[in-house]
Amino acid sequence: MVRLTRDRNMNPPNPMKASLSRFRAAIFLSALALATRLSADQATGTLDVYWVDSEGGGSTLVVTPAGESVLIDAGTPGTAGRVVTAAREVAGLKGIDYAIVTHFHTDHFGGVPVVAAGIPIAHLWDNGIPDADPDHNPDTGFWRSVSQPYRKLTLPHHLVGAGDLVPLSQRPDSPRLSMRCLGARQRFVDAPAGAPRNPLESENIPHEVDTTDNANSNVWVIEFGPFRMFDGGDLTWNMEGRLVTPVNLVGQVDVYQVDHHGLGFSNNPVLIHSLAPTVAVMNNGPTKGTAPVTVQGLRSSPGIQAIYQVHRNVRPGEEPNNTADEYIANMGSDSGKCPANLIRMSVAPDGRSYTIEIAARNRKRTYATRLDKVVP
Ligand SMILES: [Zn+2]
């Protein structure tokens, strides 16, 4: 069961005061939860996902059939305004029920205070902000400037752990919706008893140990009836290998949010091939992500039908490895002039198909949910 705890860094020391503020927060939150649900334009019962352009950061907004919302990562402080615009103006939300931070890199957690200032956030879930730069960067000034506004947030806080379920409301006339954490801070859920070994196990060739906070990313699977989607934050190669070998803890999915913006020290082919997605969505930037090795891994994945990119990648010195233009939301390379077009997915009310649209470019394609997926 989900625990509602507070991080020690955010906790007031006085227990009386804490319990009073928890009480006040509870009253405020019940009102807020009601308000966000009523405000969402979710009369249709679809599960909607918006990939907001944070120029190579993470910011994925999920709006459930019951009208609740989950933001997985918030981009950088500089791009988080786009998340607020997407939430308010595109998704029609008045609040975000859960903001999840996969790990403590600026392009994922840095934008949370900006989002919180632009739209109310009811709950904050993360790995527990470290006291010092988790990558041991000697420039402590940068870490301090980015982490301080986050530490000052007074939102009800939950320390994410493997096996956690976001307590989302079910809509009575909809298939079951779930959002489950498969791992956090390098600890993964247990394999189900008697689970078979992954037949692709021998594809896992470990790399050098990653000592950055990317390896600590918390990892999520969203299910809506037969539909399944994976968001692993910036999980890196060896952890990806552990997630699917010797037992595939994720199972197969329909949609793979490409780990770590498509960088090559993530996206272990054994992960991609074990997930066997129909569609991949890469939240890259003009000069970030989209590594040739990642694109190769995606293109060689059995059953892949489309690879979407938030940006066309124009990094010099690389092979041209972009997906077809019609699957790219933003073509320009000058982020100052970027229209920040988003990619929107709408999963049908029965979960059996999903439509991915780049509205600004008038592109839309519908995919059938795979009903023969192998799931743990
Ligand atoms: Zn990142």
Side-chain angles (χ1 to χ4, degrees), residues 185-271:
R185 302 179 300 284
Q186 309 190 20
R187 304 189 83 157
F188 298 117
V189 293
D190 293 330
R197 289 183 90 96
N198 184 345
L200 303 178
E201 195 181 351
S202 61
E203 277 191 32
N204 184 34
I205 299 156
H207 274 189
E208 240 175 87
V209 172
D210 171 25
T211 58
T212 72
D213 204 42
N214 293 316
N216 295 319
S217 291
N218 48 63
V219 174
W220 296 88
V221 168
I222 302 170
E223 289 185 332
F224 181 46
F227 174 85
R228 307 184 86 229
M229 169 181 153
F230 177 88
D231 181 342
D234 285 358
L235 201 68
T236 37
W237 193 280
N238 291 356
M239 289 301 128
E240 294 173 322
R242 270 183 49 199
L243 191 57
V244 293
T245 65
V247 169
N248 182 353
L249 299 172
V250 187
Q252 296 178 330
V253 302
D254 296 288
V255 174
Y256 170 54
Q257 177 178 308
V258 179
D259 279 350
H260 209 178
H261 324 290
L263 285 164
F265 40 96
S266 297
N267 295 292
N268 186 335
V270 76
L271 174 81

Side-chain angles (χ1 to χ4, degrees), residues 107-108 234 261 288:
D107 57 328
H108 295 256
D234 285 358
H261 324 290
K288 183 173 174 185

Side-chain angles (χ1 to χ4, degrees), residues 266-280:
S266 297
N267 295 292
N268 186 335
V270 76
L271 174 81
I272 298 172
H273 298 162
S274 300
L275 267 54
T278 303
V279 170

Side-chain angles (χ1 to χ4, degrees), residues 10-316:
M10 298 176 187
N11 232 351
N14 178 337
M16 282 283 284
K17 209 168 137 194
S19 110
L20 187 62
S21 66
R22 260 198 299 271
F23 176 67
R24 284 191 188 125
I27 294 173
F28 170 70
L29 285 173
S30 352
L32 181 67
L34 190 65
T36 54
R37 267 178 234 167
L38 290 178
S39 67
D41 180 18
Q42 285 293 302
T44 53
T46 55
L47 168 71
D48 293 342
V49 177
Y50 304 85
W51 284 276
V52 180
D53 175 15
S54 42
E55 305 290 339
S59 44
T60 306
L61 177 64
V62 180
V63 183
T64 75
E68 290 176 316
S69 51
V70 183
L71 175 67
I72 307 177
D73 293 324
T76 64
T79 56
R82 297 173 177 183
V83 177
V84 177
T85 303
R88 283 196 179 280
E89 292 170 25
V90 186
L93 299 170
K94 285 189 180 156
I96 291 171
D97 294 287
Y98 299 91
I100 296 175
V101 168
T102 57
H103 65 294
F104 285 99
H105 282 162
T106 318
D107 57 328
H108 295 256
F109 89 103
V112 175
V114 177
V115 174
I119 186 166
I121 296 174
H123 304 88
L124 180 60
W125 287 31
D126 65 25
N127 283 342
I129 188 163
D131 293 332
D133 184 330
D135 293 354
H136 318 290
N137 186 337
D139 178 7
T140 53
F142 178 72
W143 167 254
R144 226 178 303 125
S145 70
V146 182
S147 61
Q148 255 170 11
Y150 189 94
R151 281 183 210 285
K152 284 185 185 154
L153 293 170
T154 53
L155 303 169
H157 175 256
H158 171 66
L159 181 68
V160 175
D164 281 355
L165 285 166
V166 181
L168 295 169
S169 303
Q170 301 293 326
R171 188 177 149 124
D173 54 348
S174 289
R176 187 171 176 277
L177 173 77
S178 75
M179 189 165 168
R180 183 173 183 236
C181 176
L182 297 184
R185 302 179 300 284
Q186 309 190 20
R187 304 189 83 157
F188 298 117
V189 293
D190 293 330
R197 289 183 90 96
N198 184 345
L200 303 178
E201 195 181 351
S202 61
E203 277 191 32
N204 184 34
I205 299 156
H207 274 189
E208 240 175 87
V209 172
D210 171 25
T211 58
T212 72
D213 204 42
N214 293 316
N216 295 319
S217 291
N218 48 63
V219 174
W220 296 88
V221 168
I222 302 170
E223 289 185 332
F224 181 46
F227 174 85
R228 307 184 86 229
M229 169 181 153
F230 177 88
D231 181 342
D234 285 358
L235 201 68
T236 37
W237 193 280
N238 291 356
M239 289 301 128
E240 294 173 322
R242 270 183 49 199
L243 191 57
V244 293
T245 65
V247 169
N248 182 353
L249 299 172
V250 187
Q252 296 178 330
V253 302
D254 296 288
V255 174
Y256 170 54
Q257 177 178 308
V258 179
D259 279 350
H260 209 178
H261 324 290
L263 285 164
F265 40 96
S266 297
N267 295 292
N268 186 335
V270 76
L271 174 81
I272 298 172
H273 298 162
S274 300
L275 267 54
T278 303
V279 170
V281 181
M282 189 187 291
N283 51 10
N284 63 338
T287 56
K288 183 173 174 185
T290 332
V293 62
T294 298
V295 175
Q296 202 178 10
L298 292 169
R299 288 187 178 149
S300 63
S301 186
I304 191 94
Q305 289 184 28
I307 302 168
Y308 287 81
Q309 291 174 206
V310 170
H311 265 276
R312 188 163 72 99
N313 197 266
V314 294
R315 202 175 37 232

